[in-house]
Amino acid sequence: MGEDEYDIIDVQLGQAIRSWADGPRTPGVALEVHGPLEAPGMDPTWIVRLTMPWREAELVLFRGPYAEVMWFDPRDAQPDAHVEGHNHLTPESITALLETLASDGAVADGR
């Protein structure tokens, strides 16, 4: 992917994040969205934090497009942190990822 292609997908992913953040969400979801951020080198372009009774999560988007997603379940006595990397994101896939992170814990975690 060339430099111009990265710029285009960065804008598209940012628009998808902002559109998702401005839309309806599951009740109980607290949301912080930071971006677009000045991103020299390997710094993130967007950071999305979600806090819910059933999950705390953070999505950090980098140029590439690449995202790291970290989450844990605060209901667990000793919560394990989960970390995933996601490559080749599209506006649709990042929206689906955010929806999964914000989904009700009973559905997402099988509780």
Side-chain angles (χ1 to χ4, degrees):
M1 212 180 250
E3 196 69 26
D4 291 341
E5 292 171 294
Y6 285 134
D7 292 339
I8 291 168
I9 193 66
D10 285 348
V11 169
Q12 292 172 344
L13 293 174
Q15 289 170 340
I17 290 169
R18 181 60 59 202
S19 177
W20 178 84
D22 291 342
R25 280 183 302 286
T26 303
V29 176
L31 179 66
E32 290 179 45
V33 178
H34 303 279
L37 305 170
E38 292 296 322
M42 287 300 299
D43 292 341
T45 56
W46 288 83
I47 299 172
V48 181
R49 290 188 183 103
L50 301 103
T51 305
M52 301 139 294
W54 58 88
R55 184 177 300 119
E56 292 186 25
E58 183 173 80
L59 180 144
V60 181
L61 179 64
F62 299 89
R63 290 177 57 86
Y66 174 76
E68 287 189 1
V69 180
M70 293 127 318
W71 79 94
F72 69 94
D73 186 337
R75 301 171 295 184
D76 293 341
Q78 294 183 332
D80 291 328
H82 304 273
V83 180
E84 294 179 349
H86 295 265
N87 288 305
H88 310 295
L89 292 164
T90 64
E92 296 79 15
S93 65
I94 202 162
T95 299
L97 184 55
L98 289 165
E99 281 295 321
T100 298
L101 290 172
S103 65
D104 182 294
V107 172
D109 299 336
R111 293 181 186 219

